[in-house]
Amino acid sequence: MNRRTFTLTTGAALLATWMPTSWAQGWPDKPIKLILSQPAGSGADSMARMIGDQLSRRLNQPIVVENRPGGQNAIGAQAAARSAADGYTFYFATAAALVMNSYLFKNLPYDPRKDFVPVGMVGTVPFTISVNAGSKFQSLGDLVAYAKANPGKLAIANEGPKTFSGMITRLLAAQLGIEVNSVPYASVSAGVTDTVGGQIEVLVSDVPSVSQMVTAGKLRPLAVTTAKRIAGWDQVPPVADTLPGFNYAGWIGIVAPAGTPSAVVQRFNRELDVVLSDKDMAARLLAIGPMTDGAGTVTQMGGMLDAEHSRWAKLTKDLSISPE
């Protein structure tokens, strides 16, 4: 290799290394799109807009929330996955979209592992087992005793077999050794209404969806699905008191289309962490959804996703659940 060739080659390599960093220094110079799979007015929509508002102030560009609901998250996830990896599209994603769907659906129009890169966590969403305030069940033990004495008669409302609450229902039945009647609802709000009204006995749902009715004394939580008690619900024991090691919670994270410049991902992660680390923001989020400990690092989120995939792969195998 002559000196001129070496100089050109070296210069090209240095330019390739310099360009992403240099380009990222000018990012963002136009509005950023934040796609989510839930409809306008939903809890996730409120969270995304709250966070987006604060991020837009830090980045000096509007954060435009784009709702793409439907298809068990597939519509929104596909739209995000097919977006340009230019640092101007991010996906506000659920555990179902990034992990669970891989083991429940055969023909997803996106690949959760290949189509996205991790950016940062938003928070975890604990789930609970609740009953009508007038229910005869005073504890999880009461519910289990009834179910064992009356196989198949205990009706448990959830959002369907391929949702987080539906999977929790199946997992609880399997690990507790009981046979239940899992009743799918089109929405968690409909399940809450029927449980409050006494049309169904038990509800498995995320905590935010029932917190108002619990506060009003119309629902009584028997247990939470996290390993430990949660803030504000200190009187409610975890399922782990009955099933040691039981620890399941929904979560929300932000990812970007694969190929998004690393410098942009790292910058977005840092700004997200600042927003989520604000105590006022954490309290506002907790009132409608997740418990947050900040965004964490990109590497930490990547490790969490790997661990979640391993766990749900084993869980669905243990429950003999095949993608359909």
Side-chain angles (χ1 to χ4, degrees):
M1 182 183 293
N2 60 40
R3 177 178 296 179
R4 184 171 184 275
T5 302
F6 175 79
T7 301
L8 288 173
T9 303
T10 304
L14 289 172
L15 182 63
T17 302
W18 170 81
M19 282 183 67
T21 302
S22 176
W23 175 83
Q25 288 175 351
W27 176 91
D29 60 6
K30 63 181 182 179
I32 297 169
K33 184 189 300 181
L34 186 60
I35 295 176
L36 66 154
S37 305
Q38 290 72 38
S42 63
D45 178 71
S46 297
M47 296 174 216
R49 293 179 190 277
M50 286 168 53
I51 293 170
D53 179 63
Q54 295 302 309
L55 282 172
S56 68
R57 297 182 186 187
R58 296 194 60 80
L59 296 170
N60 295 314
Q61 287 292 339
I63 303 290
V64 181
V65 174
E66 183 175 299
N67 303 92
R68 293 289 193 94
Q72 297 280 16
N73 294 285
I75 293 175
Q78 182 181 23
R82 293 184 177 180
S83 296
D86 59 2
Y88 289 94
T89 298
F90 294 84
Y91 181 37
F92 195 82
T94 63
L98 294 183
V99 177
M100 290 171 55
N101 281 359
S102 300
Y103 308 99
L104 300 176
F105 296 94
K106 267 186 180 179
N107 300 308
L108 282 179
Y110 69 99
D111 188 321
R113 305 195 84 166
K114 294 181 180 179
D115 290 344
F116 300 108
V117 292
V119 177
M121 287 296 294
V122 172
T124 57
V125 183
F127 275 60
T128 183
I129 304 158
S130 302
V131 296
N132 182 284
S135 171
K136 58 183 175 290
F137 303 128
Q138 299 295 319
S139 67
L140 182 60
D142 290 344
L143 185 151
V144 172
Y146 174 84
K148 287 186 175 181
N150 301 274
K153 290 187 178 181
L154 181 68
I156 301 182
N158 54 70
E159 292 180 272
K162 293 187 176 183
T163 65
F164 199 93
S165 58
M167 291 293 291
I168 290 294
T169 301
R170 297 175 73 166
L171 180 61
L172 281 169
Q175 295 195 3
L176 290 168
I178 57 177
E179 182 182 343
V180 302
N181 176 19
S182 181
V183 182
Y185 275 76
S187 68
V188 66
S189 60
V192 170
T193 299
D194 276 5
T195 309
V196 168
Q199 284 78 31
I200 197 159
E201 298 167 279
V202 185
L203 171 69
V204 173
S205 73
D206 61 284
V207 165
S209 293
V210 297
S211 59
Q212 185 176 357
M213 290 300 175
V214 170
T215 300
K218 295 182 178 181
L219 288 178
R220 183 171 64 251
L222 300 182
V224 292
T225 62
T226 45
K228 298 179 180 179
R229 296 174 189 247
I230 61 175
W233 285 43
D234 304 274
Q235 79 284 6
V236 184
V239 173
D241 283 1
T242 301
L243 292 172
F246 194 96
N247 183 24
Y248 289 87
W251 48 263
I252 295 172
I254 294 178
V255 294
T260 299
S262 176
V264 169
V265 169
Q266 295 291 343
R267 169 82 186 283
F268 197 101
N269 169 271
R270 291 194 299 271
E271 301 297 353
L272 178 65
D273 187 59
V274 171
V275 168
L276 296 178
S277 296
D278 179 77
K279 291 183 179 179
D280 179 61
M281 173 59 75
R284 290 170 63 196
L285 286 173
L286 184 61
I288 61 171
M291 301 182 294
T292 183
D293 291 319
T297 67
V298 172
T299 300
Q300 286 171 335
M301 185 178 180
M304 185 278 294
L305 288 172
D306 288 341
E308 284 286 274
H309 273 284
S310 296
R311 185 162 74 143
W312 282 97
K314 182 180 186 303
L315 171 61
T316 50
K317 182 180 179 180
D318 291 346
L319 294 178
S320 300
I321 297 173
S322 299
E324 297 177 357

